[in-house]
Amino acid sequence: VEAAQELGFTLRWDGPPEPDAARQARIVERWAQDGLPAIAVSVESPAHLTPALRDARSRGVKVLTWDADANADARDFTVVPATPEAIAHALSFEVGRITGGTGAVAAITSTLSAPNQKAWIAEFKARLSREHPGLELVDTRPSNDVEENARRETVNLLEAHPELKAIVGFC
């Protein structure tokens, strides 16, 4: 907010307290109706948010996505800090190193529907299959980006899969 003020504009920072694509879409719709010149969003679900973003663009609003993208025609620009391939490469390398390349692993993710998380996990699975065929991703649990949920899901994973050698956090 302070940086925005220094640059001479007002920043609205809002979003659902938990990952909720329908609420994200309602916020985007409201901001577009309010005539905001630009909207930036990390997309929970392209299917839910793309129509609202397209509508905002049709009203002349500049749309930026970051981290998790919408359909290309629904935004003007996107910022993706790391590719799914780079994330999968780093994580699979470390998991392979610490496990000796064999055994069961699991994952904790923000949500099962976030496009970035889905892409990262899919690439991670593919890379494990190619480079560490002795490792198996046996389970993936969502945390809804809530630390306490991640702790609880970690305990649940350990109880459900006592043979786990690693749990990878994607969020």
Side-chain angles (χ1 to χ4, degrees):
V1 174
E2 291 172 12
Q5 289 172 341
E6 287 177 19
L7 294 170
F9 64 92
T10 302
L11 174 69
R12 282 191 199 176
W13 185 266
D14 193 9
E18 294 180 0
D20 184 335
R23 286 182 68 187
Q24 270 190 326
R26 287 193 299 274
I27 290 168
V28 166
E29 290 164 357
R30 185 178 73 241
W31 285 354
Q33 291 169 356
D34 289 350
L36 295 183
I39 294 172
V41 62
S42 180
V43 176
E44 174 58 31
S45 165
H48 280 91
L49 216 51
T50 292
L53 295 173
R54 284 182 183 140
D55 180 63
R57 287 188 75 215
S58 75
R59 295 169 182 259
V61 177
K62 296 297 181 193
V63 174
L64 165 92
T65 61
W66 86 88
D67 195 30
D69 201 6
N71 294 12
D73 68 328
R75 46 102 171 137
D76 296 287
F77 190 77
T78 191
V79 176
V80 179
T83 64
E85 296 80 12
I87 288 168
H89 172 74
L91 291 174
S92 66
F93 174 83
E94 283 303 311
V95 168
R97 184 184 67 77
I98 65 174
T99 63
T102 62
V105 298
I108 302 279
T109 185
S110 60
T111 69
L112 298 174
S113 61
N116 60 334
Q117 302 286 301
K118 287 170 40 177
W120 296 349
I121 292 167
E123 187 62 32
F124 179 72
K125 283 181 186 177
R127 196 174 272 289
L128 284 182
S129 175
R130 284 192 314 271
E131 297 176 5
H132 304 284
L135 285 172
E136 180 185 4
L137 182 63
V138 296
D139 204 346
T140 301
R141 303 278 178 99
S143 69
N144 289 322
D145 281 331
V146 176
E147 189 175 339
E148 184 52 40
N149 292 352
R151 276 192 204 99
R152 184 176 50 254
E153 289 302 337
T154 298
V155 170
N156 292 341
L157 283 167
L158 292 170
E159 288 173 354
H161 306 281
E163 76 285 4
L164 284 178
K165 285 190 164 183
I167 298 174
V168 179
F170 283 92
C171 57

